[in-house]
Amino acid sequence: MKLYTSSRAPNPRRVDMFLAEKGVHDIARVEVDLNAGQHREPAFLARNPLARVPVLELDDGRFLAESRAICTYLEALYPEPNLMGRDGEERAFIEMADRQVEFSVFAIGANYIRHTHPGLAALEQPQFPDFGKSQGEKMLHGMRWLDGRLAAQPFIAGERFTIADITAFCAVEFLRLVKFKPTDAGLAHLAGWRDRIAERPSAAM
Amino acid sequence: MKLYTSSRAPNPRRVDMFLAEKGVHDIARVEVDLNAGQHREPAFLARNPLARVPVLELDDGRFLAESRAICTYLEALYPEPNLMGRDGEERAFIEMADRQVEFSVFAIGANYIRHTHPGLAALEQPQFPDFGKSQGEKMLHGMRWLDGRLAAQPFIAGERFTIADITAFCAVEFLRLVKFKPTDAGLAHLAGWRDRIAERPSAAM
């Protein structure tokens, strides 16, 4: 297998952290330079016509894109520790938590950053700063929901660490780019959870 | 089980179509009136604090939100016909196709409609029409990718009908609200696929 990825981007980090939690450190990596536009070059588009990292090349030559789909594949290949659920029911509840984080925090936070941060003007064309600001407010709504959830349980999907914690952690860490800190927003439970997750070896970059 | 849903909204339709493909027609339904704001009332927020339909209430009283997570649960409960993959590898490739449709067509198309359609001003506050228009152009990019894919294979994820076809079909049908038709955009393969899917009993509303 070979992983086409960009080390500092938030979606690639999800797969990196997933692999680290599995204890898998020997997959070959090819760095894709997003700032140089390598993801829009023909060689990369042949791997993923939608021009997104990461992409996993399988040993039979097929390409698998989309972070969460890559994790589904890796979960089957390396079942322990389980991160996505042991049966259909648990898989469904973890997927619910993961998607809630993805849509209400990760994607909205990414919109917020991509439409307001001057450093991302080349990636997001055109930027719509007013839209971006409104996404920042909606993201806070999602963060508050997450904070309430973490007041009642230690991890995003319940009693144990799962892929939903990875998605949420990568989102919160990405938001450091715009100086967002859970404590500044008064989100003590989210801040405590963030600090606990940051101590895991998989969180080191 | 009980399904809290809104018959004419695109995400609820994904679950409706999934159930119809499974031949399941006996789940109790509770209609949530989005235009009247019922999804923001305390009774509904107790079921899903993120105020989104559909939500599946299980027999043990738990609530499962997020269309795709509900489908994961239903797939385990009603395994045939298989719509999400028979093993980890197939599940991963179908999830890839489903997510690509979801992010590059469904979500972008929804942004396009929600930020430009006067009839949705009450649901999307505030609307950003310029952002909406740019999403319409990006959506066309996603549609062209889909059209190319359907030039090479009969269904979105390959040789058989899967959940990815449901996601794409619900997106394309939702776009009729803004008079979008694949043929008008010169997307002949997408149009042919749409017409074939529309003939399935599960596509009837």
Side-chain angles (χ1 to χ4, degrees):
Chain A
M1 292 192 295
K2 197 186 282 184
L3 188 63
Y4 295 84
T5 192
S6 304
S7 294
R8 293 172 61 200
N11 276 307
R13 191 174 185 182
R14 291 162 73 178
V15 172
D16 288 346
M17 205 167 159
F18 193 90
L19 281 167
E21 288 285 336
K22 296 283 186 185
V24 177
H25 300 283
D26 58 351
I27 294 183
R29 300 170 64 89
V30 180
E31 194 68 21
V32 180
D33 187 339
L34 300 182
N35 287 323
Q38 282 186 346
H39 58 304
R40 296 196 187 113
E41 290 174 3
F44 188 79
L45 293 177
R47 293 172 196 123
N48 182 4
L50 291 172
R52 295 204 196 104
V53 284
V55 174
L56 184 67
E57 181 175 358
L58 307 189
D59 291 335
D60 63 11
R62 283 182 300 165
F63 294 101
L64 182 62
E66 290 297 325
S67 301
R68 199 182 197 276
I70 292 172
C71 291
T72 293
Y73 181 82
L74 295 170
E75 176 94 341
L77 210 58
Y78 310 105
E80 299 299 333
N82 179 282
L83 296 172
M84 300 179 77
R86 295 201 179 274
D87 57 23
E89 184 177 311
E90 201 193 12
R91 269 214 306 275
F93 275 90
I94 292 172
E95 186 172 10
M96 166 176 72
D98 197 24
R99 288 175 66 90
Q100 288 176 323
V101 168
E102 190 159 37
F103 288 104
S104 297
V105 179
F106 194 106
I108 291 184
N111 274 341
Y112 170 46
I113 294 178
R114 292 175 73 104
H115 285 278
T116 59
H117 197 287
L120 294 178
L123 278 177
E124 189 66 38
Q125 293 173 325
Q127 288 180 313
F128 293 96
D130 288 343
F131 166 74
K133 272 175 230 156
S134 85
Q135 293 284 291
E137 289 152 28
K138 284 198 178 176
M139 180 197 73
L140 272 182
H141 183 77
M143 292 280 192
R144 279 191 283 267
W145 157 77
L146 212 49
D147 190 67
R149 200 154 183 165
L150 291 165
Q153 60 192 41
F155 296 101
I156 308 279
E159 294 302 315
R160 68 180 180 96
F161 181 91
T162 69
I163 191 172
D165 295 286
I166 293 178
T167 305
F169 184 77
C170 293
V172 170
E173 292 301 282
F174 185 42
L175 285 159
R176 294 172 73 163
L177 208 60
V178 285
K179 318 270 187 237
F180 174 86
K181 285 183 188 166
T183 38
D184 296 346
L187 305 172
H189 304 292
L190 184 64
W193 163 87
R194 185 261 157 213
D195 291 346
R196 276 186 288 120
I197 302 297
E199 286 170 12
R200 301 174 78 92
S202 67
M205 281 188 77
Chain B
M1 292 192 295
K2 197 187 284 184
L3 188 64
Y4 296 84
T5 192
S6 305
S7 294
R8 293 173 60 201
N11 276 307
R13 191 174 185 181
R14 291 162 72 179
V15 173
D16 288 345
M17 204 168 159
F18 192 90
L19 281 167
E21 288 284 336
K22 295 283 186 185
V24 177
H25 300 284
D26 58 352
I27 294 183
R29 300 170 64 89
V30 180
E31 194 69 19
V32 180
D33 188 338
L34 300 182
N35 287 324
Q38 282 187 345
H39 58 304
R40 295 195 188 114
E41 291 174 2
F44 187 79
L45 293 177
R47 292 170 197 124
N48 183 5
L50 290 172
R52 295 204 197 103
V53 283
V55 174
L56 184 67
E57 181 175 356
L58 307 189
D59 290 336
D60 63 11
R62 283 182 301 165
F63 294 102
L64 182 61
E66 291 297 324
S67 301
R68 199 183 197 276
I70 293 172
C71 292
T72 293
Y73 182 82
L74 295 169
E75 176 94 341
L77 210 58
Y78 309 105
E80 299 299 334
N82 179 285
L83 296 172
M84 300 178 78
R86 294 199 178 275
D87 56 23
E89 183 176 313
E90 201 193 11
R91 269 213 307 275
F93 275 90
I94 291 171
E95 186 172 10
M96 167 175 73
D98 197 25
R99 287 175 67 89
Q100 287 176 323
V101 168
E102 189 158 37
F103 287 104
S104 297
V105 179
F106 194 106
I108 291 184
N111 274 341
Y112 170 45
I113 294 178
R114 292 175 74 104
H115 285 278
T116 59
H117 197 287
L120 293 178
L123 277 178
E124 188 66 39
Q125 294 173 321
Q127 288 181 314
F128 293 96
D130 288 343
F131 167 74
K133 272 177 229 154
S134 85
Q135 293 283 292
E137 287 152 29
K138 284 197 178 178
M139 180 197 73
L140 272 181
H141 183 76
M143 292 279 193
R144 280 191 283 268
W145 157 76
L146 212 49
D147 190 66
R149 201 156 183 164
L150 291 164
Q153 60 193 42
F155 296 101
I156 307 280
E159 294 302 314
R160 69 180 179 94
F161 181 90
T162 69
I163 190 171
D165 295 286
I166 293 177
T167 305
F169 184 77
C170 293
V172 171
E173 292 302 282
F174 185 41
L175 285 158
R176 294 172 72 165
L177 208 61
V178 285
K179 318 270 187 234
F180 174 85
K181 284 183 189 167
T183 38
D184 295 347
L187 305 171
H189 305 291
L190 184 64
W193 164 87
R194 185 260 156 213
D195 291 345
R196 276 186 289 119
I197 302 297
E199 285 170 12
R200 301 174 79 91
S202 67
M205 280 186 79

